Structures are given as C-alpha cells and as structure tokens.
Amino acid sequence: MYIPNIELQSKATIREFQEKEVMHLLGYLREFSPFYREWFAQHGVQASAIKSLNDLHLIPPVNKEHLQEKNWDFLCVDKSKIAEYTTTSGTLGKPVIIALTEKDQTRLTYNEYISFCCADGTENDIFQLMLTLDRQFMAGMAYYNGIRKLGAGVLRVGPGVPSLQWENIARIEPTTIVAVPSFIVKLIAFAQEHNIDINASSVKKAVCIGENIRNADFSLNVLGKKITEQWNIKLYSTYASTEMQTAFTECSAGIGGHHHPELLYIELLDDNNQPVAPGQDGEVTITTLGVEGMPLLRYKTGDICRYYEEACSCGRHTMRLSPVIGRRKQMIKYKGTTLYPPALFDLLNDMEEVKEFVVEVFSNEIGTDEILLHLWPVSESEDTDRKIRSYLQAKLRVIPQVHYCTQGEIMKMLMPEGVRKPIKFMDNRTPMA
C-alpha cells in the first residue's frame, strides 16, 4: 500500500510544505487568474502583505455563487489547453463548469490512486464501479483512472440495475464495489428476494460515495448499520467535490477521511470566517494545490465538518475530516429545532415502513421553514401511516407534513431527467429579501 512521504511527516514539516505551495499559488493567480486579480484589487490585498499561511485571513473567502457568476474568469489557461470539461451543480440554477488541463487530469488520477490505496486497495483487487462515467461527471472517470494507476482490475457496470450488478459479481468476482450506500441497501434487498448468498460472494469491501455511512463520532449511522448487519464487508467512507478535485478517504481505522496535503490546503471556518478548534463544526474551506486550469483559493464549499489532528494508526500524520454534518445553506429551522438533511435521512433510512423518500423544505405564509416528506411506503394503510407518524413524533417531537407517493412518482423526484445522482433533498424556500 502506497502512502505519500509527505503524509508521514510531522505537522511542522507538512505546514512548511503547504506554505511554500500556497505562496506559489498566490503568484500563479496574480499572473493568470482574471477573477483573483480583480478579487485582490477589490479587497485591497497587497502581494507584499501575504508572507505566510498566517496572513491568508487577509484574503476574503469566495463561494459557489462567485464561481457560478464569474465561471470563466476562474480559468487560468487558454481554452486550447483544456483537456476535459466537467460540471458540478450550481446554486443559481445553471451547472458550474470545472475545466481540466492534461496536468489536472494527471493530478486527479494521482488523487484517486492514493485514495484507493488509503482504502486498502491493491493491484490484486477488482473494482466494480456502480456509478455513471458520463454526463460530465468528474468522479466517475477519476475513479476509473485511479484504479488503472493502482494496477487493479476495473469493471464499469454503471448505476442502478441490481440484477446486472449481481450477474457481474457472479461472473467476474470483483473484490470491491464503489457505490452510493443507499444503492448497496437495494443490492442486499434484491439478493434476499432472489436467494443470493451475499456473504458467499467475492465482494469484501465497499468504497462508499455520495452519502454518509457514519455519524459525526465515526460510529456507523443507520445506513452503515443496514449494510454491515447483513453483509460482512468492510466499508470505507469518502468525501469529495468537483471543485476541490481531491478526495478525503478513510483508511481501515474508520476515523475520518485523510487529508492529502500535497493536493489541498484546508481551513474549517465559523460564520465569521475564523478558524474553529479541532472537534468543532466549521465550514470546509479549500485552497487547491497543483491545479492548473481552475485553481481555487479560500473557497468555501458550504459543507459543515469537524477535523481531528491526532496521528492515525495507519501511520499518516495528516488531518482527518468527519462525515459531512450538513450543508450551510441547507440548515433547517423547524419549530424551534435546528436540523440538517442528513439527520432526517438517518431517521427515514431506519424506517422499515418506508421504501424510498425525498425531503422537501419550503417557506410557509409567515416565512418560517416547513418540512414535507415525500414517502413511498411499503403499503398504504392506516397501520403503516400510524407507525410512520408515531416514529416521527418520537424522534423529532414534532411531525412534519407527509405525502405518500407511488414508486413511479418517487423515482421521478429522485432521478429527474439529466441528473447524475439521486436528489434526496429539495430546497424550495423563498429567498430572504
């Protein structure tokens, strides 16, 4: 298993390395980035004032709205150097384009290579990819290229279709699956319905993408327990975004996603853009290192996490990130209670009476948050309805509005045309004036 040398160094050595890389990036942005040249001028940032990482606070952070509104101004190279165009969802309706050069693709491949190494991947593994590799989805091709660099076998089956997944597992005998955790639950249900002995299969590991499998204290959440209570496989959680072009992946210790300091400088900031202490909630704010096409400096992702600095049993000395606790803009204030969608997802995943769900939040007539749960129940009966409402009352102390859906209705909400991954949360709140 390969561990980059920098990740085994002392905190002081890692910080010294990162300081040098961030200072280099500042020079690159001043020379080649239309957006950051304007940003520095707008905020009176003097190059001579930024001498170390301690001075970075003098540069105001940017966010996704800036990236969307000034998308092409973030490009630091001529368009003739763009090797691939990828997109990520936007906050203002339109997707955000993230352009990669050939060098950026090589960096992305390296990122996934060391990430799969972190998840105990070896050249002897066969990875079955249960996700899309089209629709400008950066992660799909990144996983594929990282696995190829690892020297392992790869099986591109794509998303959905449990019957096809199990057919390939039986024929090819992969050792590891890469999938969204809620889909793994569907794989288990299909296997049980068709008398497939999942624990006799070749699959021993799952790299989980797109959804949390752990609580903030690193214990398995409802989704993680649903998988491991029935399938004797090792789960590895991941956290990544298209903008950062970098992943945080768990090692076998399962106590947070490991930071790769050669690829990313990271800060966790409070509402006043001040750094939070280890174990405290903060917004993940990233500075990309080694990105040529669209590098980002102090970019606030909107994701709320916690970080930990103790050395890990795997030997890495790098920061570890908790699962995403929630997204800054998705925080719900409901009848005196503060909620993030992942907490609601946990509740609904734990309900035997619910097959699938979508959480919608909207503004009521007095401007406060209302929650509407779109549920596909196991049966539409008074008994099922009573059990669902009693459970919600017990867990939330208040009962959100409930709308029961057919399978067809819920699938249209989960996977509208053109999307790459299920939409579990719809934010239809009226923007504040």
Side-chain angles (χ1 to χ4, degrees), residues 289-359:
L289 305 178
V291 172
E292 183 178 45
M294 283 185 164
L296 296 172
L297 174 71
R298 302 204 81 205
Y299 175 81
K300 300 184 79 172
T301 64
D303 295 325
I304 308 301
C305 290
R306 298 170 186 166
Y307 75 96
Y308 300 89
E309 295 185 320
E310 302 86 3
C312 183
S313 58
C314 69
R316 294 174 177 84
H317 292 169
T318 52
M319 178 194 298
R320 291 173 286 107
L321 274 192
S322 75
V324 174
I325 295 164
R327 288 191 58 79
R328 177 72 67 193
K329 288 183 176 293
Q330 291 181 352
M331 186 175 72
I332 304 165
K333 294 279 193 177
Y334 185 62
K335 298 187 187 301
T337 302
T338 298
L339 292 169
Y340 284 106
L344 286 171
F345 297 168
D346 253 10
L347 291 179
L348 295 167
N349 280 321
D350 199 28
M351 297 176 69
E352 295 178 357
E353 293 78 17
V354 175
K355 287 187 175 182
E356 195 54 90
F357 63 87
V358 171
V359 175

